[in-house]
Every structure is written in C-alpha cells, then in structure tokens.
Amino acid sequence: LERSAAGTPFLGICLGMQHLASRGLEDGEWQGLGVIPGTCERLPAGVKVPHIGWNTVSYPRESSLFADIPEESAFYFVHSYRLLPDDPSCIIGRTDHGVPFAAAVESGSVYAVQFHPEKSSETGLRLLANFGKIVTERGLR
C-alpha cells in the first residue's frame, strides 16, 4: 500500500481487484485493503455463477491501460464476485453478465481488472504490455 501511495504502479487481477475494496462480502463481511473505496459482493441471484467466459469491455473513460485495444474487445472472465466502487469515476472498463459491473478500475498508480489478461489471448497480452509501459514510463523496472 505504501509503495502504490508513493506512485509505484500496481496491477491487480481478478481476486487482486476484489481485495482492493474497503470490504468484501464472501462468507461474512471482511475488511479489504481500502485502496478502492467500495464493496466486493457476489453477483446477484439469477445470474449464472461462476461467470466463466469471454465478455466485451467498454471504456467509460480513457486509460493508458487500454491503449491500442479497441473498445468492445473481448477478455476472459472467471469469477463470482464484483467490485462496486463508491466512486464510479474510477471505472475504466465495464462489462455485463446479467448485470453491468466494473471490469477494470484505475486510481492513481493502482490499476485492476476483473478479467484474466493472461488468458485473454493477444488482447490480454497487449494490456499487460501497456502496464509494462506504464511501469517503464515511471522510471521503474
């Protein structure tokens, strides 16, 4: 937390995104890291869980994490919980699986994605390369 507060880039993937919330609601209520104020909760009743498969992602705001990745590109998801940020302006990617939810967030030097870029073919590799570029541009290796 101290390093990201000091500007060191951080990329959370799937559960790594969920733990950034202030609180989580899996098997009780738990304190999260609080990096992204909000709640991590199970996808609602009536929505097939776990959510497994490819979904397209739209970009409510520009982010260097999605540089050169066309809007509505597909990424691979495997999860049953979603992050509901208190401040929706941190959302840089949205998707829909029965309900709309944050697929990606950005706050300062913290980036997180609910999907798995490592399983998302060339599009996922592009996202990981973009994160590498973010790290390099900040003078970190």
Side-chain angles (χ1 to χ4, degrees):
L1 294 177
E2 293 172 12
R3 302 269 312 181
S4 63
T8 301
F10 172 87
L11 177 62
I13 296 173
C14 195
L15 189 58
M17 177 169 159
Q18 296 171 8
H19 281 292
L20 295 175
S22 305
R23 69 185 191 123
L25 301 176
E26 184 172 356
D27 293 327
E29 184 171 336
W30 303 91
Q31 182 177 345
L33 295 172
V35 175
I36 305 290
T39 303
C40 181
E41 68 176 31
R42 188 171 173 86
L43 288 165
V47 173
K48 185 178 189 294
V49 292
H51 169 209
I52 300 174
W54 295 88
N55 275 73
T56 58
V57 174
S58 62
Y59 310 142
R61 71 178 179 93
E62 191 174 321
S63 172
S64 54
L65 193 62
F66 289 107
D68 299 321
I69 300 174
E71 190 157 7
E72 301 300 329
S73 288
F75 293 91
Y76 192 77
F77 290 79
V78 180
H79 66 108
S80 297
Y81 287 78
R82 63 180 174 160
L83 173 63
L84 299 169
D86 290 346
D87 179 3
S89 71
C90 73
I91 298 172
I92 58 172
R94 286 191 189 280
T95 196
D96 190 291
H97 176 70
V99 294
F101 62 89
V105 294
E106 177 183 337
S107 179
S109 64
V110 174
Y111 301 82
V113 295
Q114 185 58 65
F115 52 82
H116 287 267
E118 77 282 6
K119 295 179 182 263
S120 297
S121 192
E122 291 181 23
T123 306
L125 292 175
R126 175 79 251 164
L127 184 135
L128 293 172
N130 287 345
F131 182 71
K133 186 175 179 183
I134 291 166
V135 171
T136 302
E137 287 174 352
R138 299 213 178 150
L140 306 168
R141 292 181 177 50

